[in-house]
Amino acid sequence: GKRICESYDRNSYKGDSFLIAGDKRVYKDYTLLETFSYHLTDLKISSNSLNSQAKEVEINSTASLNYSGTFEALLSYDPKNYKDMDLVYSISGMRISDMSPQSNFYVAYPFWNGVVDFKSSNTIRNMILDSKNKLLIQKIEVGDKIDNKDAMDVPLKLAVALLKDLKGNIDLEIPVSGNLNDPEYKIGKVIWQIISNILLKAVTSPYRLIANALSVDEEDIKQINFNYLDTAFTAKQLKNVDILKKVLDHKPELNVQLAQYTNTEKEQERFASWECRKQYYFEKQNLMISDSLSEKAIEEINAITIRDSLFVSWLDLKLGPQDIYIPIQQKILKYIGEEKSRVTVQNMIKHRNFLLQDYIQKIGIDSTRCTIFTEEPEKIPASEALPKIHISFGVGETAPAKK
């Protein structure tokens, strides 16, 4: 009888209304690198009816968050089964800089500026959580990375720059699910992990984010294709650089790197082949080397293959019998000169970089935000078979913007 009474007292209740108003709470977390302190003021918790026999009980809650934002929540639960409940809450106007102790701990970056709006709709059935969350961060600004070897390896500053829309805001959908009975399951850590995954995806797939934000073709901001021996860029190729200016204008945190990818050995071989076939053509046509080439002559030279028997015979006579059995490509290089081919190709590569540098200055791209260089051959991926200007984006460490 005693157990029955105790069970009844504990699980049976009824009240017409319930109100806590004007309360204050301070939450402190000492498990981080620095103490996280958060103030809840003007806390109000209310319910129009509390009845253990009702099908559903609703509790409303509002509060001010650290003297800046506001919090509103509606909790609905089954009084006969506390494992089933619904929770809808929103956070408005919260300073993201207040969360820097947590961001420093999890991702090693502080937040300098930004205002957070967060809406969350949560359903719990039999302790299984299904949560849908919408995060909007306006005018977010990330600080410089701190020394924290235990933090997740997330390039937050770059990811934030990539995720920002044209208004400088970040708008994310964050679904969360999990078993609340699992002692290893921590909702805060899970949300940070999901956000980290979103940030990593942004960094590993930046082109799509930028292209979608600016309504441009993704391929146009990945690379500028060109052919071996090109010494000028076409208007179509330079259009890609125009698009990069648009990117930098709308994303002031970003810098761009233009890396020339070219296989110097292949380009030297192609230069020597062109020069050799050109000389053969000039002799065949009884022309002077100094004569300019017409479009027809260029087409005819390009039509000559290094396997052409007349061309091979001409080259063998130029070199002599001692080189008759070496590969045709080596014959060509020997005749034109390896040093001449190397120097000429190096000058071509430098000239292409010069043309790009000259053009970015012409269209008004800040030279401090655009780096142009030739990638070292050993750093060029083996999959890159054709020459190109490879485009990549990054950010620098900066001081906080002055208000």
Side-chain angles (χ1 to χ4, degrees):
K2 181 179 179 182
R3 290 182 179 179
I4 295 174
C5 291
E6 287 177 347
S7 176
Y8 180 85
D9 290 340
R10 185 168 59 245
N11 298 313
S12 298
Y13 52 85
K14 184 177 181 180
D16 293 335
S17 63
F18 171 77
L19 174 64
I20 298 176
D23 197 11
K24 298 179 181 180
R25 289 287 183 270
V26 178
Y27 171 75
K28 290 183 181 290
D29 187 348
Y30 297 99
T31 66
L32 309 175
L33 297 177
E34 56 186 304
T35 301
F36 174 66
S37 181
Y38 208 80
H39 295 256
L40 299 178
T41 57
D42 300 322
L43 182 61
K44 180 180 178 181
I45 303 174
S46 63
S47 178
N48 290 331
S49 176
L50 288 175
N51 189 337
S52 60
Q53 301 305 310
K55 291 183 177 180
E56 183 180 74
V57 173
E58 292 187 349
I59 298 177
N60 293 279
S61 178
T62 60
S64 294
L65 303 176
N66 229 37
Y67 310 106
S68 64
T70 58
F71 170 82
E72 295 182 4
L74 172 62
L75 172 65
S76 305
Y77 68 91
D78 181 353
K80 300 181 182 64
N81 181 8
Y82 293 105
K83 294 181 179 180
D84 293 349
M85 63 180 64
D86 297 308
L87 173 63
V88 178
Y89 67 92
S90 65
I91 295 170
S92 303
M94 185 186 79
R95 290 189 303 258
I96 194 171
S97 58
D98 292 344
M99 308 305 293
S100 285
Q102 297 221 12
S103 63
N104 280 336
F105 180 78
Y106 287 113
V107 292
Y109 280 94
F111 291 110
W112 280 337
N113 291 310
V115 177
V116 176
D117 292 323
F118 184 74
K119 295 181 179 179
S120 181
S121 178
N122 304 272
T123 299
I124 300 174
R125 295 293 181 267
N126 199 29
M127 297 303 287
I128 302 298
L129 171 67
D130 180 20
S131 179
K132 295 177 175 60
N133 306 280
K134 183 176 179 61
L135 174 66
L136 173 65
I137 310 177
Q138 302 179 68
K139 308 302 180 185
I140 182 173
E141 189 176 357
V142 180
D144 295 337
K145 190 171 185 178
I146 68 166
D147 185 15
N148 179 7
K149 296 179 181 179
D150 296 325
M152 300 176 191
D153 186 15
V154 178
L156 183 67
K157 206 166 191 179
L158 174 58
V160 165
L162 293 169
L163 287 167
K164 283 184 181 181
D165 59 23
L166 296 183
K167 297 179 181 179
N169 303 331
I170 292 178
D171 197 344
L172 296 176
E173 302 283 344
I174 308 173
V176 178
S177 60
N179 187 348
L180 299 181
N181 283 322
D182 184 352
E184 299 297 321
Y185 186 86
K186 296 181 180 180
I187 186 65
K189 185 177 181 180
V190 170
I191 290 177
W192 270 110
Q193 184 64 59
I194 292 172
I195 293 175
S196 296
N197 290 340
I198 292 172
L199 298 176
L200 283 173
K201 186 176 181 181
V203 173
T204 54
S205 305
Y207 305 103
R208 182 176 299 175
L209 284 171
I210 295 173
N212 290 341
L214 300 177
S215 299
V216 298
D217 191 326
E218 184 178 344
E219 294 302 314
D220 289 342
I221 56 173
K222 281 185 176 180
Q223 61 198 39
I224 303 170
N225 296 316
F226 64 91
N227 296 314
Y228 287 122
L229 307 185
D230 278 355
T231 55
F233 291 106
T234 65
K236 183 178 180 180
Q237 289 168 323
L238 292 176
K239 179 185 174 184
N240 292 36
V241 186
D242 295 332
I243 295 173
L244 292 181
K245 183 179 188 306
K246 182 179 179 181
V247 172
L248 296 179
D249 286 345
H250 285 91
K251 292 185 174 289
E253 304 94 335
L254 287 182
N255 300 323
V256 64
Q257 296 83 42
L258 305 179
Q260 185 174 166
Y261 283 13
T262 184
N263 186 314
T264 54
E265 289 184 4
K266 285 185 178 180
E267 192 155 18
Q268 288 170 28
E269 186 176 294
R270 294 199 182 198
F271 166 75
S273 173
W274 166 259
E275 281 295 305
C276 194
R277 287 179 290 130
K278 183 176 74 172
Q279 290 188 28
Y280 166 71
Y281 177 83
F282 269 64
E283 286 193 21
K284 185 179 177 182
Q285 299 294 327
N286 293 317
L287 299 173
M288 298 292 293
I289 292 292
S290 59
D291 290 347
S292 60
L293 289 171
S294 64
E295 288 187 9
K296 180 182 178 183
I298 292 173
E299 289 179 3
E300 291 177 347
I301 293 170
N302 282 328
I304 299 169
T305 71
I306 62 173
R307 300 298 177 185
D308 185 299
S309 59
L310 294 176
F311 170 75
V312 174
S313 296
W314 170 85
L315 184 57
D316 285 341
L317 286 173
K318 293 290 184 181
L319 292 173
Q322 71 278 4
D323 295 319
I324 195 170
Y325 295 112
I326 66 174
I328 185 65
Q329 292 86 353
Q330 293 182 22
K331 290 180 182 180
I332 291 172
L333 271 175
K334 186 171 183 179
Y335 178 66
I336 297 301
E338 291 188 21
E339 183 62 14
K340 178 182 178 181
S341 300
R342 187 189 67 80
V343 171
T344 302
V345 167
Q346 288 301 317
N347 287 336
M348 286 181 179
I349 292 171
K350 290 178 182 178
H351 184 66
R352 287 192 284 258
N353 287 347
F354 170 79
L355 291 175
L356 286 173
Q357 188 68 50
D358 184 64
Y359 190 72
I360 69 163
Q361 292 177 355
K362 179 181 177 181
I363 64 175
I365 293 179
D366 185 347
S367 60
T368 63
R369 299 180 63 198
C370 181
T371 304
I372 300 172
F373 63 98
T374 302
E375 188 60 273
E376 298 174 17
E378 61 271 16
K379 293 184 179 179
I380 298 176
S383 59
E384 301 292 349
L386 299 175
K388 67 174 66 173
I389 305 297
H390 176 72
I391 301 168
S392 59
F393 298 95
V395 292
E397 299 298 301
T398 56
K402 294 181 180 179
K403 296 183 179 180

